Amino acid sequence: KQWTLQYDIVAKSSSIVKSIASNYLHLTGTDHSSLPVIKPPENQNSNKERNPIKMIGFAAGMEMADMAWEVKCREEDMKQRALENERHAIDDARRSVDEKAQQLQVLANQSALIAGFSMVVLVESSIPEDIDGVILTLFGGFTACVIALMLVSTLNATYVLVAILRYDCVNREVPFDVFWRKRCEPDWKLALRTFSYG
């Protein structure tokens, strides 16, 4: 378009010059064949042939740039998803730890409370003097068993609580489910069983 505009300007200018020259030659009686003829540049066709090649190269470059941008966006999206998955995993581990910690705290508190009440009953109860020795022995034995079972339950629940509170929710060398199943679940079952028996 720029070349066409330049050629139009030159052609109009040459036509004006040619009309002025023809008037001058008419007055002077000179032949018109001596007038110069302005021709377009010879490389017009070559420019027209080169322009599609340049456009194809430009389009290919734009497509490559778009593909590179899409790849970069894809990589950033994958990184963002990996961060979100890691954040969700940390939240799930913390939620599991909090849930187990609450259960253990409740079990330890209830066991300690029952053990304390059993001790108070054993110490503060007024026993008549004419009571049968067998009944007194059974009363003391069962009360002592309750206190012992509650203490075992309290200690196991407290130790398991300390273990899971030390669990690293960020690095997670072992998943919390595996950690709980292999290291804490037997003690948790023992504490729950002794509490039930007591």
Side-chain angles (χ1 to χ4, degrees):
K1 291 181 179 180
Q2 184 177 3
W3 181 87
T4 305
L5 181 60
Q6 291 176 355
Y7 180 72
D8 291 341
I9 294 172
V10 172
K12 289 179 182 179
S13 302
S14 63
S15 63
I16 294 171
V17 171
K18 189 174 182 180
S19 63
I20 294 172
S22 63
N23 290 332
Y24 175 76
L25 292 175
H26 179 69
L27 294 175
T28 58
T30 309
D31 188 10
H32 291 276
S33 60
S34 60
L35 289 174
V37 179
I38 299 175
K39 295 181 180 181
E42 294 180 357
N43 60 354
Q44 177 184 3
N45 294 329
S46 62
N47 288 335
K48 289 183 178 179
E49 292 176 357
R50 291 176 186 173
N51 286 337
I53 296 174
K54 291 181 179 179
M55 292 300 293
I56 291 172
F58 180 73
M62 291 297 294
E63 289 180 359
M64 291 295 292
D66 290 339
M67 290 177 63
W69 178 255
E70 289 179 0
V71 170
K72 184 178 179 181
C73 292
R74 177 74 175 174
E75 291 177 354
E76 291 180 355
D77 187 31
M78 294 299 291
K79 290 180 181 179
Q80 185 66 28
R81 289 184 181 181
L83 289 175
E84 289 179 358
N85 291 334
E86 184 68 18
R87 193 176 297 114
H88 288 313
I90 292 172
D91 292 339
D92 292 339
R94 287 177 178 171
R95 193 178 301 112
S96 299
V97 169
D98 291 339
E99 180 182 357
K100 296 298 183 181
Q102 289 178 0
Q103 294 175 0
L104 291 167
Q105 285 177 354
V106 170
L107 181 61
N109 291 333
Q110 293 297 323
S111 300
L113 187 64
I114 293 173
F117 283 146
S118 300
M119 182 67 69
V120 170
V121 168
L122 184 61
V123 172
E124 298 295 333
S125 60
S126 58
I127 301 173
E129 295 180 357
D130 56 347
I131 193 171
D132 190 5
V134 176
I135 296 175
L136 182 61
T137 304
L138 291 175
F139 173 73
F142 281 120
T143 305
C145 288
V146 169
I147 296 172
L149 290 173
M150 291 298 110
L151 287 177
V152 170
S153 178
T154 301
L155 292 175
N156 280 332
T158 304
Y159 290 150
V160 174
L161 178 62
V162 172
I164 66 168
L165 289 179
R166 291 175 58 86
Y167 178 76
D168 191 0
C169 296
V170 178
N171 295 326
R172 297 187 316 279
E173 296 178 358
V174 179
F176 182 75
D177 295 336
V178 178
F179 175 81
W180 174 263
R181 187 170 58 253
K182 289 184 177 180
R183 299 183 182 181
C184 301
E185 192 170 8
D187 293 331
W188 160 253
K189 288 182 178 180
L190 178 61
L192 193 61
R193 192 179 299 115
T194 53
F195 180 81
S196 300
Y197 291 159

